[in-house]
Amino acid sequence: MPGENGRMQRRYPMERKASIDQTILSPGTVSINVKGAFIVDEQPSRPPTPSDGDDGAQHDTEIRLPNHEAVVSHVALDIGGSLAKLVYFSHEPDSKDLGGRLHFLKFETDRIDQCLDFVKGLQDEFCRQNGSRSGKMSIMATGGGAYKFYDDMKRILGVEVLREDEMDCLIIGLDFFIREIPREVFTYSDDDPMHFEAPRADIYPYLLVNIGSGVSMIKVSGQRQFERIGGTSLGGGTLWGLLSLLTGARTFDDMLKMAEAGDNAAVDMLVGDIYGADYNKIGLKSTAIASSFGKVFKMKRQGENQAEDHGGLSQDNREEDNDASSSQPQFRKEDISRSLLYAVSNNIGQIAYLQSEKHNLERIYFGGSFIRGHRQTIQTLSYAINFWSKGEKKAYFLRHEGYLGSVGAFLKRQPKNWGRRNSFEEYPRERPTITHREVE
C-alpha cells in the first residue's frame, strides 16, 4: 500500500510484527538464514533512503538470501586507512518475494562523513518501515577507524556502537565466504580466469593474506585459532601514494585503469633485456621482470648524455636547450602504473609463498581492498604463488575480498551455530541459544 513519498509500504502479518518487536528488544537473537544463498550477478540495487543524489559509495555485487525473513537491526562497518566498507541487510524492496539481500558498499575513509550520512539514511528508513523503536539499531564496527571515528559515529548516529577485534572479524568473514556462499571463492589461470571452488567445510589450516593499506599475513588453524605471522608495509597504500605522486591520479580505481593501458616493459628491465632471450636454465622467460623500473636510470642517463652533446643546460642558447630537453625520455603514466602494480603485487606474492612454506600451509587466500577484482593484480599474485611453489600451491581469491572484516563484524551479532555449516562458534559476549539450525 502507498505510504509517505508515494513509496510502497510492506504489510507485515502479526507473526512478522512479533519478530520485529523481538529483534528490537533482543537484536542478538536474530538468526540469518543462508539456505539457498547466491551472489546476484546484476547491477546492485539501491533500497530507497532519505538521501538524494550521489551517495559517494561504490556499490558491489549483492548476496541474495531468499529464505531469510526476520528483521535485522544492525549494520557493520570496517573502517581502514583508505576505505570504509559497509555491510547491511534489506528485504526485497517493493516486492512480495520472501527474503532479502546483503549489500556491500565502499567509501573513501577521507570522506567518512558520506558513509555516516548513508548509515543515518538506513537508520531513518528502518525506523520508517518498522516503527519508532527501531532507533535501537546498532553499529558493529571494526578496523582502526572503529576507534578513530568512534565518537563521531555515536554523535552523528546516536546509536550503540560495538567495536570488534579486526583479526577476529577477518577470519569470521573469510570462513563464512568459504563455507557458505557458492561461486564466491575462485582460482585464476590464463585458460580459466575464474574457476569457482565449491563451498567446503574442511578449510583449516590456511594462510590469509589481507592486503589493505599495508599487508597482514595470518595463519588460521581452526575456529578462533589464528596468529599474525608476518606482513609488509608495502601494500595498497604504497601503490596509491606513489602513483598519486608520479601520475597525479586522484583515485585508486583511476590508477588501476591506467595500469590496464600500460606496458611495464617501457620502464622495467626484463630478463630478455639482459640475456636477449629466455633464461631456461633457471626457468625465467624473457618477459620476466629482472628489475622493476630498471630501465629508467639507463634511459635518463642516455638522455642526459645527449643533452650534454647538445650543450647541456647552458643558458646561452635557449634554442639548443629546448632541443636537448626534447631528447629526455618521456615515461607514460600508464607504463609507470603498470610497473608499480607489478612490483607491489610480486613482492606480496613472494612473501606469502615464503610464509606458507615456513608454516606448512597449502591453501593461500588473498583478501583486502587492494585486489578489487582487478585481473592484472590477480594474475600477478597467482603467477607468483605458482612460480615459487613450482605449481604445488594455488592462490585463492574472493569476489567480495574487500569485505571480510565488515562481514565478520556483521556476523558477530548472531547467536551460536547459525547457518548451514556452523560458520563460527559462540563468542564470549553472552548470546541467546538458537532454537533451530538451517541445513542445506
Side-chain angles (χ1 to χ4, degrees), residues 67-139:
N67 293 293
H68 182 78
E69 297 184 44
V71 175
V72 179
S73 63
H74 66 278
V75 302
L77 274 169
D78 176 10
I79 309 175
S82 302
L83 295 171
K85 288 78 66 177
L86 171 68
V87 172
Y88 70 95
F89 174 85
S90 76
H91 287 281
E92 292 297 318
D94 304 336
S95 172
K96 296 181 180 179
D97 294 339
L98 296 176
R101 302 184 181 209
L102 284 179
H103 300 265
F104 302 86
L105 294 80
K106 289 193 289 278
F107 299 81
E108 291 187 16
T109 303
D110 288 343
R111 300 177 180 178
I112 192 65
D113 56 324
Q114 291 183 322
C115 177
L116 298 183
D117 285 345
F118 188 92
V119 175
K120 185 68 166 63
L122 293 178
Q123 181 186 16
D124 293 342
E125 182 66 16
F126 183 81
C127 181
R128 186 190 68 80
Q129 289 187 355
N130 301 310
S132 60
R133 283 191 296 165
S134 60
K136 292 284 187 178
M137 185 182 81
S138 59
I139 308 297

Side-chain angles (χ1 to χ4, degrees), residues 336-407:
I336 293 172
S337 299
R338 189 154 187 159
S339 174
L340 192 56
L341 175 67
Y342 280 168
V344 172
S345 300
N346 276 321
N347 181 64
I348 294 171
Q350 184 171 12
I351 297 174
Y353 163 73
L354 293 173
Q355 291 287 6
S356 72
E357 281 292 286
K358 179 180 178 181
H359 295 274
N360 194 28
L361 301 169
E362 294 299 318
R363 301 177 71 85
I364 305 172
Y365 292 90
F366 288 90
S369 297
F370 170 77
I371 301 172
R372 299 198 183 194
H374 188 245
R375 178 166 180 157
Q376 289 173 336
T377 307
I378 292 172
Q379 182 184 41
T380 305
L381 292 170
S382 294
Y383 176 82
I385 298 302
N386 183 70
F387 176 83
W388 292 109
S389 71
K390 295 181 171 58
E392 293 182 0
K393 297 184 180 184
K394 291 182 180 179
Y396 294 87
F397 303 92
L398 298 97
R399 296 174 69 180
H400 294 90
E401 74 280 286
Y403 294 94
L404 304 185
S406 49
V407 167

Side-chain angles (χ1 to χ4, degrees), residues 33-39 63-67 180-182 420:
N33 185 341
V34 297
K35 183 179 181 181
F38 62 91
I39 295 174
I63 293 180
R64 179 85 163 86
L65 302 176
N67 293 293
E180 306 289 355
I181 306 301
R420 293 181 295 176

Side-chain angles (χ1 to χ4, degrees), residues 403-424:
Y403 294 94
L404 304 185
S406 49
V407 167
F410 184 85
L411 298 180
K412 288 191 79 170
R413 192 62 167 168
Q414 309 307 323
K416 181 180 179 181
N417 294 345
W418 73 275
R420 293 181 295 176
R421 299 186 180 88
N422 190 19
S423 292
F424 64 95

